[in-house]
Amino acid sequence: MSAHLDDVSEMEIMDDTISPKRRNVQGKWIMSRQKNMIVNLYKELKLKNPNMPYKELMNSISQTLGVGYNSVCNIISEYKTTGTVKSPNKKRCKKSMFDKIDDLDRNALRQKIHGFWMKKELPTIDKILVAVNSDPALPNFKRTTMYEMIKKLDFVFTKRKRCSVLTEREDLLVWRQNYLYDIRKYREEGRTVYFLDETWVNAGDCVDKLRVDKSIRSKHDAFNRGLTTGATNPTGKGQRLIVLHIGSHKGFLEGGLLCFVSKKNSADYHDEMNGDNFHNWFESIIPRLDPNSVIVLDNAPYHSVRTERIPTSSSKKEFILSWLRSKGVVIDRPMFKPQLLAKVKEIKGKYVSYVVDNMAKDAGHTVLRLPPYHCELNPIELAWAMVKKNVKQNNTTFKIDDVRVLLNTAIERVTSENWKNFIEHVKTEENKLTEVDKNMDEIIDSLEPCILTITGETSDSSDV
């Protein structure tokens, strides 16, 4: 009897020392075995208490098993819908090499290809691969990766003789040639050309290389000499400032800076901006510009918000029909969706317009868009490089407020003389691209088209 009482007392002591329930770690995967336990408990409670309210039932399961309330609701909903539960798909989308490199590297790849045309030499994958991998400023690529990169940069292969000639997509060539013609025409007219762009500055940005006194043997030795071992670099990038500005040969436009702290942990700083934010900033900038000026910008989505929605292949048939009728198109017989989209394609060119372009036009200005992947044609990129270098060299606290002060100071140090030099450099790049297009045009025109034999007849490949 005494031994039994001792066992009971030990159990009571153990009960008093039981640790609290462990809850499932937030964000941790809930596998199918755990889900089945939740479903079984749901069935048990439902069987014992059929009149228990749904929320109370879900809350009871959540408290008993230590799983979040919303997770329990989702799992029970999944079971009711499918009749079973399964483990989540833990496979994550792997980023391609194209997504890992930045716009500057993409532009450098394009310039490598252009370099062959400058030398009047036909570029091939093998030649490009050697040129890129021998450049220490660029990452090394495998041949298959390089091929994919070139395709994503909108280069295409045109069949000529026994080999394929690597050229750029025809519409991009036209875009670039029109841009170069327009920018030169506007300069000859004496119009002020403004260039705008966004960038970012991290609170943890600092120079990678510092001068080191090799005579110092240790931190204690440095302390005794009254020296310092230098500021400790942060382990992460910290907070980020998103920066938007505009400038011309006169320098950065006074009052044109937009700077705010990033709220997203995204690798792409473009995620922070949207059409509304950009349009509000742009509206405040327009009165500060010289009369009849030109505004050069890239093709970020928030720069190209359309004034009206135009049907695409993903649009509903009813919307396509109503849009066509609103434009005066008569649909006098039943049509399938592809037929309607063909009609949209015929007339949509008349109705494609952008909010930014209309805002500028109403104020007497002109918007000019850079061709894709041609950041070397925007002198503000050189200004940003100068600003960031200044911030990195003087960043010692790695605090976002201090970095903002450094950023404002660095922007003020970019003079109109600096901007004139940047623009002159861009003009040199424009001349190079004109030479590339000229050489490409002459060489491809001199090559005989590929001759294919089909059903015993000889035909030009362009007609096949």
Side-chain angles (χ1 to χ4, degrees):
M1 185 68 177
S2 175
H4 178 69
L5 291 173
D6 290 341
D7 291 341
V8 173
S9 62
E10 286 180 8
M11 290 177 65
E12 290 176 352
I13 293 171
M14 289 175 64
D15 289 341
D16 293 339
T17 59
I18 291 177
S19 61
K21 293 179 183 178
R22 290 185 180 179
R23 296 191 61 81
N24 189 62
V25 179
Q26 187 175 4
K28 186 177 181 181
W29 297 108
I30 300 177
M31 310 308 290
S32 58
R33 183 177 296 180
Q34 292 171 284
K35 288 184 177 182
N36 280 320
M37 291 180 182
I38 293 170
V39 171
N40 288 339
L41 182 57
Y42 167 77
K43 291 179 178 179
E44 182 71 18
L45 292 176
K46 193 69 175 173
L47 188 63
K48 291 181 178 179
N49 304 288
N51 296 324
M52 182 183 291
Y54 179 80
K55 289 186 178 180
E56 186 179 336
L57 184 61
M58 296 297 105
N59 190 56
S60 177
I61 297 172
S62 174
Q63 294 297 325
T64 303
L65 298 180
V67 179
Y69 178 86
N70 290 335
S71 297
V72 172
C73 293
N74 291 336
I75 291 166
I76 299 302
S77 175
E78 177 189 355
Y79 176 75
K80 287 182 176 181
T81 304
T82 63
T84 184
V85 291
K86 59 182 180 179
S87 296
N89 182 12
K90 294 191 288 183
K91 291 183 180 179
R92 296 180 180 177
C93 296
K94 187 178 180 182
K95 281 188 175 182
S96 66
M97 193 64 180
F98 185 82
D99 296 323
K100 290 179 181 178
I101 64 174
D102 58 19
D103 288 339
L104 292 176
D105 284 340
R106 294 170 189 168
N107 182 60
L109 287 175
R110 183 178 291 276
Q111 288 180 324
K112 289 291 183 185
I113 300 171
H114 288 167
F116 289 100
W117 288 110
M118 284 287 290
K119 296 182 290 185
K120 296 187 177 181
E121 182 179 347
L122 292 179
T124 64
I125 294 290
D126 293 328
K127 290 179 182 178
I128 298 166
L129 189 65
V130 171
V132 171
N133 288 348
S134 60
D135 189 340
L138 290 172
N140 286 345
F141 298 97
K142 294 181 180 179
R143 194 178 191 277
T144 52
T145 307
M146 176 60 68
Y147 179 73
E148 293 299 322
M149 294 282 289
I150 288 172
K151 287 200 299 183
K152 288 187 177 181
L153 286 171
D154 293 322
F155 283 90
V156 293
F157 288 95
T158 304
K159 195 71 175 178
R160 286 294 184 273
K161 288 189 176 180
R162 295 183 179 179
C163 63
S164 295
V165 181
L166 186 64
T167 63
E168 289 171 275
R169 220 173 60 203
E170 186 175 340
D171 60 319
L172 295 183
L173 286 173
V174 173
W175 189 335
R176 181 169 73 215
Q177 290 155 7
N178 288 340
Y179 172 84
L180 294 175
Y181 174 82
D182 289 339
I183 192 74
R184 287 165 179 157
K185 181 185 71 172
Y186 294 142
R187 289 192 188 117
E188 289 174 0
E189 293 172 355
R191 300 173 68 177
T192 304
V193 181
Y194 291 93
F195 300 86
L196 68 84
D197 191 35
E198 303 81 13
T199 190
W200 80 98
V201 178
N202 291 314
D205 282 344
C206 57
V207 292
D208 296 328
K209 296 181 180 180
L210 296 173
R211 291 188 177 183
V212 179
D213 187 349
K214 295 183 179 180
S215 65
I216 298 176
R217 299 177 182 178
S218 64
K219 291 183 179 180
H220 183 68
D221 186 21
F223 178 77
N224 290 337
R225 297 192 197 182
L227 302 174
T228 176
T229 54
T232 304
N233 288 350
T235 55
K237 293 182 178 179
Q239 289 182 291
R240 171 188 290 177
L241 290 175
I242 307 299
V243 189
L244 170 61
H245 216 325
I246 184 171
S248 67
H249 67 282
K250 300 177 182 179
F252 277 116
L253 182 67
E254 186 176 353
L257 175 64
L258 174 64
C259 178
F260 58 91
V261 179
S262 169
K263 294 181 181 179
K264 296 182 181 179
N265 189 24
S266 171
D268 188 359
Y269 65 92
H270 290 98
D271 293 344
E272 295 289 330
M273 192 71 70
N274 58 46
D276 292 336
N277 291 339
F278 180 76
H279 295 158
N280 291 336
W281 173 84
F282 193 77
E283 189 176 17
S284 69
I285 287 300
I286 288 178
R288 303 172 186 270
L289 304 178
D290 289 346
N292 193 30
S293 60
V294 179
I295 305 160
V296 177
L297 43 78
D298 61 23
N299 300 280
Y302 42 84
H303 294 167
S304 304
V305 177
R306 292 182 176 178
T307 53
E308 69 170 310
R309 183 184 166 199
I310 294 179
T312 63
S313 57
S314 60
S315 302
K316 295 290 185 181
K317 188 175 180 180
E318 291 77 9
F319 173 71
I320 301 173
L321 278 168
S322 63
W323 187 86
L324 286 170
R325 287 167 179 157
S326 69
K327 305 305 177 187
V329 178
V330 178
I331 309 296
D332 56 358
R333 61 187 176 87
M335 287 189 177
F336 295 107
K337 190 172 179 179
Q339 294 173 299
L340 296 174
L341 289 172
K343 287 191 171 291
V344 170
K345 188 176 180 180
E346 290 175 5
I347 65 170
K348 73 175 184 179
K350 302 176 184 177
Y351 304 102
V352 174
S353 63
Y354 302 102
V355 175
V356 169
D357 296 48
N358 291 340
M359 291 170 66
K361 184 178 179 181
D362 292 341
H365 306 302
T366 303
V367 168
L368 185 61
R369 281 181 166 75
L370 288 161
Y373 310 120
H374 284 72
C375 57
E376 77 273 25
L377 298 181
N378 196 343
I380 200 172
E381 295 286 355
L382 299 172
W384 287 143
M386 182 176 173
V387 168
K388 288 187 176 184
K389 181 180 179 181
N390 197 299
V391 171
K392 288 181 178 181
Q393 288 175 340
N394 294 282
N395 188 12
T396 57
T397 64
F398 312 116
K399 295 179 180 178
I400 198 69
D401 291 334
D402 295 337
V403 171
R404 190 193 292 268
V405 174
L406 291 174
L407 174 71
N408 291 330
T409 303
I411 289 174
E412 290 173 1
R413 290 181 178 177
V414 182
T415 64
S416 59
E417 195 64 31
N418 294 135
W419 266 91
K420 289 175 183 176
N421 292 335
F422 299 154
I423 292 172
E424 287 303 314
H425 176 80
V426 165
K427 288 180 180 178
T428 303
E429 295 298 322
E430 292 172 1
N431 294 334
K432 287 181 182 178
L433 287 173
T434 301
E435 188 69 17
V436 166
D437 289 340
K438 178 184 175 184
N439 292 345
M440 193 184 300
D441 203 43
E442 291 177 354
I443 293 172
I444 294 177
D445 192 53
S446 66
L447 294 175
E448 295 178 5
C450 177
I451 304 299
L452 300 178
T453 302
I454 300 179
T455 63
E457 298 179 359
T458 302
S459 174
D460 187 287
S461 61
S462 61
D463 297 330
V464 176

PDB file of all heavy atoms in Angstrom, residues 81-97:
ATOM      1  N   THR A  81     -12.528  18.805 -49.311  1.00  0.00           N
ATOM      2  CA  THR A  81     -12.580  19.033 -50.758  1.00  0.00           C
ATOM      3  C   THR A  81     -12.074  17.831 -51.544  1.00  0.00           C
ATOM      4  O   THR A  81     -12.682  17.417 -52.533  1.00  0.00           O
ATOM      5  CB  THR A  81     -11.753  20.278 -51.138  1.00  0.00           C
ATOM      6  OG1 THR A  81     -12.236  21.398 -50.389  1.00  0.00           O
ATOM      7  CG2 THR A  81     -11.861  20.579 -52.621  1.00  0.00           C
ATOM      8  N   THR A  82     -10.952  17.267 -51.122  1.00  0.00           N
ATOM      9  CA  THR A  82     -10.284  16.206 -51.895  1.00  0.00           C
ATOM     10  C   THR A  82     -10.486  14.810 -51.308  1.00  0.00           C
ATOM     11  O   THR A  82     -10.203  13.819 -51.979  1.00  0.00           O
ATOM     12  CB  THR A  82      -8.778  16.487 -51.990  1.00  0.00           C
ATOM     13  OG1 THR A  82      -8.204  16.453 -50.664  1.00  0.00           O
ATOM     14  CG2 THR A  82      -8.526  17.858 -52.610  1.00  0.00           C
ATOM     15  N   GLY A  83     -10.926  14.738 -50.040  1.00  0.00           N
ATOM     16  CA  GLY A  83     -11.083  13.440 -49.400  1.00  0.00           C
ATOM     17  C   GLY A  83      -9.798  12.851 -48.889  1.00  0.00           C
ATOM     18  O   GLY A  83      -9.766  11.726 -48.394  1.00  0.00           O
ATOM     19  N   THR A  84      -8.705  13.600 -48.991  1.00  0.00           N
ATOM     20  CA  THR A  84      -7.412  13.125 -48.510  1.00  0.00           C
ATOM     21  C   THR A  84      -6.535  14.321 -48.191  1.00  0.00           C
ATOM     22  O   THR A  84      -6.920  15.480 -48.427  1.00  0.00           O
ATOM     23  CB  THR A  84      -6.721  12.250 -49.569  1.00  0.00           C
ATOM     24  OG1 THR A  84      -5.500  11.723 -49.030  1.00  0.00           O
ATOM     25  CG2 THR A  84      -6.413  13.048 -50.826  1.00  0.00           C
ATOM     26  N   VAL A  85      -5.351  14.058 -47.630  1.00  0.00           N
ATOM     27  CA  VAL A  85      -4.371  15.114 -47.369  1.00  0.00           C
ATOM     28  C   VAL A  85      -3.024  14.643 -47.900  1.00  0.00           C
ATOM     29  O   VAL A  85      -2.783  13.441 -48.019  1.00  0.00           O
ATOM     30  CB  VAL A  85      -4.261  15.429 -45.858  1.00  0.00           C
ATOM     31  CG1 VAL A  85      -5.510  16.092 -45.343  1.00  0.00           C
ATOM     32  CG2 VAL A  85      -3.934  14.188 -45.049  1.00  0.00           C
ATOM     33  N   LYS A  86      -2.184  15.578 -48.229  1.00  0.00           N
ATOM     34  CA  LYS A  86      -0.858  15.224 -48.741  1.00  0.00           C
ATOM     35  C   LYS A  86       0.167  16.226 -48.265  1.00  0.00           C
ATOM     36  O   LYS A  86      -0.164  17.355 -47.873  1.00  0.00           O
ATOM     37  CB  LYS A  86      -0.872  15.172 -50.265  1.00  0.00           C
ATOM     38  CG  LYS A  86      -1.270  16.466 -50.943  1.00  0.00           C
ATOM     39  CD  LYS A  86      -1.304  16.298 -52.458  1.00  0.00           C
ATOM     40  CE  LYS A  86      -1.706  17.612 -53.143  1.00  0.00           C
ATOM     41  NZ  LYS A  86      -1.725  17.462 -54.608  1.00  0.00           N
ATOM     42  N   SER A  87       1.411  15.800 -48.303  1.00  0.00           N
ATOM     43  CA  SER A  87       2.505  16.674 -47.885  1.00  0.00           C
ATOM     44  C   SER A  87       2.655  17.813 -48.880  1.00  0.00           C
ATOM     45  O   SER A  87       2.386  17.652 -50.075  1.00  0.00           O
ATOM     46  CB  SER A  87       3.815  15.889 -47.781  1.00  0.00           C
ATOM     47  OG  SER A  87       3.725  14.895 -46.778  1.00  0.00           O
ATOM     48  N   PRO A  88       3.093  18.994 -48.420  1.00  0.00           N
ATOM     49  CA  PRO A  88       3.271  20.122 -49.341  1.00  0.00           C
ATOM     50  C   PRO A  88       4.426  19.874 -50.294  1.00  0.00           C
ATOM     51  O   PRO A  88       5.350  19.109 -49.989  1.00  0.00           O
ATOM     52  CB  PRO A  88       3.572  21.298 -48.392  1.00  0.00           C
ATOM     53  CG  PRO A  88       4.114  20.659 -47.161  1.00  0.00           C
ATOM     54  CD  PRO A  88       3.425  19.345 -47.022  1.00  0.00           C
ATOM     55  N   ASN A  89       4.353  20.507 -51.437  1.00  0.00           N
ATOM     56  CA  ASN A  89       5.430  20.413 -52.417  1.00  0.00           C
ATOM     57  C   ASN A  89       6.564  21.338 -51.992  1.00  0.00           C
ATOM     58  O   ASN A  89       6.435  22.557 -52.032  1.00  0.00           O
ATOM     59  CB  ASN A  89       4.914  20.807 -53.804  1.00  0.00           C
ATOM     60  CG  ASN A  89       5.979  20.680 -54.874  1.00  0.00           C
ATOM     61  OD1 ASN A  89       7.028  20.090 -54.634  1.00  0.00           O
ATOM     62  ND2 ASN A  89       5.712  21.231 -56.035  1.00  0.00           N
ATOM     63  N   LYS A  90       7.668  20.747 -51.570  1.00  0.00           N
ATOM     64  CA  LYS A  90       8.773  21.547 -51.038  1.00  0.00           C
ATOM     65  C   LYS A  90       9.751  21.992 -52.119  1.00  0.00           C
ATOM     66  O   LYS A  90      10.753  22.618 -51.830  1.00  0.00           O
ATOM     67  CB  LYS A  90       9.526  20.753 -49.967  1.00  0.00           C
ATOM     68  CG  LYS A  90       8.696  20.474 -48.716  1.00  0.00           C
ATOM     69  CD  LYS A  90       9.545  19.935 -47.590  1.00  0.00           C
ATOM     70  CE  LYS A  90       9.984  18.531 -47.852  1.00  0.00           C
ATOM     71  NZ  LYS A  90      10.748  17.956 -46.726  1.00  0.00           N
ATOM     72  N   LYS A  91       9.449  21.645 -53.369  1.00  0.00           N
ATOM     73  CA  LYS A  91      10.348  22.053 -54.439  1.00  0.00           C
ATOM     74  C   LYS A  91      10.202  23.547 -54.678  1.00  0.00           C
ATOM     75  O   LYS A  91       9.107  24.065 -54.841  1.00  0.00           O
ATOM     76  CB  LYS A  91      10.030  21.288 -55.723  1.00  0.00           C
ATOM     77  CG  LYS A  91      10.385  19.805 -55.643  1.00  0.00           C
ATOM     78  CD  LYS A  91      10.118  19.112 -56.964  1.00  0.00           C
ATOM     79  CE  LYS A  91      10.477  17.640 -56.898  1.00  0.00           C
ATOM     80  NZ  LYS A  91      10.196  16.947 -58.172  1.00  0.00           N
ATOM     81  N   ARG A  92      11.290  24.235 -54.728  1.00  0.00           N
ATOM     82  CA  ARG A  92      11.271  25.677 -54.969  1.00  0.00           C
ATOM     83  C   ARG A  92      11.768  25.959 -56.373  1.00  0.00           C
ATOM     84  O   ARG A  92      12.648  25.270 -56.888  1.00  0.00           O
ATOM     85  CB  ARG A  92      12.146  26.401 -53.947  1.00  0.00           C
ATOM     86  CG  ARG A  92      11.632  26.247 -52.516  1.00  0.00           C
ATOM     87  CD  ARG A  92      12.523  26.976 -51.537  1.00  0.00           C
ATOM     88  NE  ARG A  92      12.028  26.839 -50.163  1.00  0.00           N
ATOM     89  CZ  ARG A  92      12.643  27.332 -49.104  1.00  0.00           C
ATOM     90  NH1 ARG A  92      13.778  27.978 -49.245  1.00  0.00           N
ATOM     91  NH2 ARG A  92      12.130  27.169 -47.900  1.00  0.00           N
ATOM     92  N   CYS A  93      11.205  26.991 -56.961  1.00  0.00           N
ATOM     93  CA  CYS A  93      11.621  27.368 -58.312  1.00  0.00           C
ATOM     94  C   CYS A  93      13.058  27.889 -58.277  1.00  0.00           C
ATOM     95  O   CYS A  93      13.343  28.869 -57.584  1.00  0.00           O
ATOM     96  CB  CYS A  93      10.681  28.440 -58.876  1.00  0.00           C
ATOM     97  SG  CYS A  93       8.995  27.867 -59.085  1.00  0.00           S
ATOM     98  N   LYS A  94      13.907  27.231 -59.012  1.00  0.00           N
ATOM     99  CA  LYS A  94      15.309  27.624 -59.043  1.00  0.00           C
ATOM    100  C   LYS A  94      15.502  28.766 -60.025  1.00  0.00           C
ATOM    101  O   LYS A  94      15.028  28.714 -61.163  1.00  0.00           O
ATOM    102  CB  LYS A  94      16.173  26.424 -59.446  1.00  0.00           C
ATOM    103  CG  LYS A  94      17.664  26.685 -59.348  1.00  0.00           C
ATOM    104  CD  LYS A  94      18.450  25.434 -59.714  1.00  0.00           C
ATOM    105  CE  LYS A  94      19.944  25.695 -59.625  1.00  0.00           C
ATOM    106  NZ  LYS A  94      20.730  24.493 -60.016  1.00  0.00           N
ATOM    107  N   LYS A  95      16.187  29.794 -59.578  1.00  0.00           N
ATOM    108  CA  LYS A  95      16.419  30.945 -60.445  1.00  0.00           C
ATOM    109  C   LYS A  95      17.391  30.579 -61.555  1.00  0.00           C
ATOM    110  O   LYS A  95      18.375  29.885 -61.332  1.00  0.00           O
ATOM    111  CB  LYS A  95      16.997  32.114 -59.633  1.00  0.00           C
ATOM    112  CG  LYS A  95      15.968  32.877 -58.841  1.00  0.00           C
ATOM    113  CD  LYS A  95      16.599  34.128 -58.246  1.00  0.00           C
ATOM    114  CE  LYS A  95      15.554  34.986 -57.538  1.00  0.00           C
ATOM    115  NZ  LYS A  95      16.156  36.218 -57.000  1.00  0.00           N
ATOM    116  N   SER A  96      17.094  31.063 -62.747  1.00  0.00           N
ATOM    117  CA  SER A  96      18.018  30.857 -63.857  1.00  0.00           C
ATOM    118  C   SER A  96      19.186  31.825 -63.729  1.00  0.00           C
ATOM    119  O   SER A  96      19.133  32.800 -62.982  1.00  0.00           O
ATOM    120  CB  SER A  96      17.301  31.080 -65.187  1.00  0.00           C
ATOM    121  OG  SER A  96      16.913  32.436 -65.317  1.00  0.00           O
ATOM    122  N   MET A  97      20.242  31.543 -64.479  1.00  0.00           N
ATOM    123  CA  MET A  97      21.418  32.410 -64.444  1.00  0.00           C
ATOM    124  C   MET A  97      21.065  33.811 -64.926  1.00  0.00           C
ATOM    125  O   MET A  97      21.609  34.800 -64.447  1.00  0.00           O
ATOM    126  CB  MET A  97      22.525  31.812 -65.327  1.00  0.00           C
ATOM    127  CG  MET A  97      23.879  32.441 -65.142  1.00  0.00           C
ATOM    128  SD  MET A  97      24.527  32.163 -63.483  1.00  0.00           S
ATOM    129  CE  MET A  97      26.089  33.023 -63.592  1.00  0.00           C
TER     130      MET A  97
END
